Amino acid sequence: MTEAREPARPHARRVPGTPCWVSLMAHGLAATEEFYGELFGWEFRPGPQQLGPYVRALLDGREVAGMGQLPPDRRLPIAWTPYFASDDVDRTADTVRLCGGTVAVGPLDAAEAGRMAIAADPSGAVFGIWQGSAHLGTALTGVPGTPAWNELVTYETESVAKFYATAFGYEEEPVVSADFDYVTLHLDGRPVAGLHGVGHGLPRDRGSHWRTYFEVADADLTLRQVAELGGRVVRPAQDSPHGRVATVADPEGAEFSLIQEPH
């Protein structure tokens, strides 16, 4: 994790490889909207419907995240998925395949918004690729209720770091520690995402996966709200060098983390 974050510029095209959007696929879209609307103060408006019902979450009228509805027959994991910017989704998808990843959906056009693909790295962690057109991605960051960081939770970082560096051009900065396996991915000298190797601490039922951190004003208060709204606390709040951090799950089981900036 890192404190180096910048406000999103809504009309600026993202540098390829930059995390530019997060999206959640759920079974009960209306109930999911209600949960996150109460928790983060989001409002919703319809988005591209290529993959079924889809809405964009807005905070202060600016787009911060997306939510879609899974078909009833799809038993996919309910999870937040980060999307990485690309100038050419088709070329990036080809690179993903050449580097040992897989492309599950697309590339396909999402109406006039842009072009997308959904892929997985060699460890099985799912992510999206986004070539923005009318929609360039998250338009607001740095305030409560917005995505703050994306982190891959995986068995070990070395091999998967090579995949992301090759596919998206990241520079790697490993933590030099015998008992902490962590790599920060940089673009143009700026930290944009993290890889955390947890060894046998990796959940067997989930495997390698990306986790989104959302900024909150008060982590402990937000944990109470999560429980009141039907979610659950996965990891209670604790202080870290980057702020107060906790992990929770929404009513359908999608896990995400909360971070309260240090005062």
Side-chain angles (χ1 to χ4, degrees), residues 3-23:
E3 296 161 57
R5 280 180 265 145
E6 298 176 357
R9 299 188 298 275
H11 302 297
R13 186 164 294 281
R14 305 300 205 279
V15 174
T18 306
C20 61
W21 190 243
V22 291
S23 193

Side-chain angles (χ1 to χ4, degrees), residues 161 164 170-172 183-187 190-195 210:
Y164 285 101
Y170 300 125
E171 302 101 39
E172 304 168 38
V183 174
T184 305
L185 301 177
H186 292 248
L187 280 176
R190 185 171 62 91
V192 295
L195 313 177
W210 279 94

Side-chain angles (χ1 to χ4, degrees), residues 173-190:
E173 184 183 294
V175 171
V176 181
S177 170
D179 56 357
F180 188 56
D181 182 11
Y182 199 95
V183 174
T184 305
L185 301 177
H186 292 248
L187 280 176
D188 297 337
R190 185 171 62 91

Side-chain angles (χ1 to χ4, degrees), residues 13-63:
R13 186 164 294 281
R14 305 300 205 279
V15 174
T18 306
C20 61
W21 190 243
V22 291
S23 193
L24 173 68
M25 298 298 285
H27 290 294
L29 189 53
T32 301
E33 286 180 42
E34 189 174 338
F35 172 84
Y36 287 97
E38 289 286 337
L39 190 67
F40 291 141
W42 290 351
E43 297 176 333
F44 300 92
R45 72 171 172 218
Q49 309 286 308
Q50 270 71 10
L51 300 177
Y54 192 84
V55 295
R56 291 186 184 145
L58 285 77
L59 190 63
D60 296 330
R62 298 168 74 182
E63 296 172 345

Side-chain angles (χ1 to χ4, degrees), residues 84-107:
F84 302 103
S86 171
D87 284 342
D88 186 334
V89 164
D90 296 76
R91 189 177 65 224
T92 304
D94 287 342
T95 305
V96 164
R97 293 187 190 98
L98 288 170
C99 294
T102 56
V103 178
V105 176

Side-chain angles (χ1 to χ4, degrees), residues 95-202:
T95 305
V96 164
R97 293 187 190 98
L98 288 170
C99 294
T102 56
V103 178
V105 176
L108 55 84
D109 290 326
E112 74 289 344
R115 190 162 172 79
M116 61 163 284
I118 298 173
D121 67 27
S123 74
V126 176
F127 62 91
I129 309 165
W130 181 255
Q131 180 182 340
S133 182
H135 172 70
L136 296 180
T138 303
L140 181 67
T141 60
V143 298
T146 62
W149 186 246
N150 290 286
E151 187 173 276
L152 176 70
V153 182
T154 189
Y155 183 75
E156 56 84 28
T157 62
E158 187 176 1
S159 59
V160 80
K162 287 186 174 65
F163 166 83
Y164 285 101
T166 306
F168 293 105
Y170 300 125
E171 302 101 39
E172 304 168 38
E173 184 183 294
V175 171
V176 181
S177 170
D179 56 357
F180 188 56
D181 182 11
Y182 199 95
V183 174
T184 305
L185 301 177
H186 292 248
L187 280 176
D188 297 337
R190 185 171 62 91
V192 295
L195 313 177
H196 188 189
V198 297
H200 294 294
L202 190 66

